[in-house]
Amino acid sequence: MDALFLFRHGQTDHNRTRRFQGQLDVALNDIGRAQALRTGDLVSSCLKGFFTLEGIAKLELEGATSDLARARDTASTVGNAVVAQTGLPCFFRDHPSLREWDCGALQNFTVDEFETAHPGLLPEFYAAFEKDAWSTPYPGGEAKKDVAKRLSPMVEFWNKGVDGAARRSVEEDSTWTRRARRCGVVSTHGGVIHVLLEMLKCPLPEREQIIGNGDVLLLVPHGSGEPGRWHVFRHYRVGDNVAARLGTV
């Protein structure tokens, strides 16, 4: 794969009320649908703006989405936008491996509700999570290492055939994308995106750690030539901007 778009699904009512949803199949709300439209516009604009030197018609898009409704519906909206605005076919295949983390006992609770139901357990979990982020699960849920395990085949697929050594530095991003022939377009969840970024060896800077609903990240191979290492070329913030425009924040 020559480039990757990772984007988070639009807002749900669980997101709006800061309620853990994990693998609950929660639908997009009106704000989420508006965010998905904006996500589709951004992905389309990036494709037209960064992948144009030798003709966008030669670009092959590989679409993948979590099979949970909020990600699938976001993917459908993005795919429709890409087809309409670029003429490129953009179809998404369901991949259960892209589902959000299984939050176990946290699922369907807000932080305050969980603390009331299970006094003292949440701080204990957070402390353990910070100490050993690759092995401590949510109470009754998935460990981070298990999320990484189910994502590994997809990461290996994206890394296959990547010639990072062909790029001399991260300053060549635009030149690289214009030569791109295969591009992944991925609709998934905030927690999963953070795990994927670690697996792709391109964690976000601290100031960009929050990934909002509908946010888009464009990744390209890193100029170091290190196998499996990627670079965040662009991070477009959608969630708060759309919510503010609709007068909800």
Side-chain angles (χ1 to χ4, degrees):
M1 204 67 68
D2 298 317
L4 283 172
F5 285 97
L6 301 179
F7 53 87
R8 186 183 176 193
H9 62 80
Q11 188 189 91
T12 68
D13 284 343
H14 273 55
N15 294 135
R16 182 179 58 81
T17 57
R18 301 181 66 82
R19 190 175 297 277
F20 292 98
Q21 56 193 330
Q23 296 189 2
L24 288 174
D25 207 4
V26 185
L28 297 176
N29 58 22
D30 289 342
I31 296 170
R33 286 185 281 274
Q35 289 167 335
L37 288 169
R38 179 59 179 152
T39 300
D41 288 342
L42 282 170
V43 172
S44 301
S45 295
C46 284
L47 287 168
K48 291 187 292 184
F50 296 129
F51 297 77
T52 55
L53 190 61
E54 296 179 19
I56 194 172
K58 296 180 181 178
L59 187 67
E60 296 179 11
L61 299 182
E62 300 274 354
T65 179
S66 158
D67 62 346
L68 297 177
R70 56 192 184 272
R72 291 181 68 188
D73 290 348
T74 300
S76 177
T77 299
V78 170
N80 289 339
V82 169
V83 171
Q85 296 181 38
T86 72
L88 283 170
C90 185
F91 304 104
F92 288 82
R93 294 183 179 180
D94 287 0
H95 288 268
S97 61
L98 287 168
R99 287 182 181 182
E100 184 58 290
W101 294 16
D102 181 350
C103 294
L106 288 171
Q107 192 166 273
N108 221 21
F109 284 100
T110 65
V111 168
D112 290 342
E113 289 171 349
F114 188 80
E115 177 60 25
T116 299
H118 305 281
L121 184 57
L122 192 60
E124 179 182 328
F125 160 72
Y126 281 136
F129 182 84
E130 292 298 329
K131 182 179 178 182
D132 189 359
W134 284 99
S135 63
T136 304
Y138 283 103
E142 268 184 312
K144 191 174 183 182
K145 64 178 182 180
D146 295 325
V147 179
K149 183 178 180 179
R150 61 176 160 92
L151 292 170
S152 289
M154 186 154 289
V155 170
E156 290 174 7
F157 173 73
W158 293 334
N159 282 331
K160 188 175 182 180
V162 172
D163 183 13
R167 299 182 64 234
R168 291 186 295 273
S169 71
V170 295
E171 282 71 34
E172 294 185 342
D173 289 337
S174 295
T175 302
W176 179 266
T177 56
R178 291 188 183 107
R179 295 197 301 259
R181 286 297 169 265
R182 294 179 65 219
C183 180
V185 189
V186 183
S187 179
T188 186
H189 309 265
V192 168
I193 289 176
H194 279 291
V195 176
L196 285 172
L197 290 175
E198 289 190 28
M199 297 176 73
L200 295 167
K201 305 176 186 178
C202 58
L204 289 171
E206 185 174 350
R207 66 183 182 278
E208 297 184 30
Q209 284 293 314
I210 296 176
I211 299 174
N213 291 111
D215 280 12
V216 180
L217 293 98
L218 173 55
L219 277 57
V220 294
H222 197 277
S224 66
E226 179 183 343
R229 185 180 180 189
W230 293 69
H231 165 64
V232 179
F233 177 30
R234 289 288 187 273
H235 179 188
Y236 296 99
R237 298 190 177 280
V238 172
D240 289 344
N241 292 334
V242 171
R245 177 167 56 80
L246 296 177
T248 57
V249 296

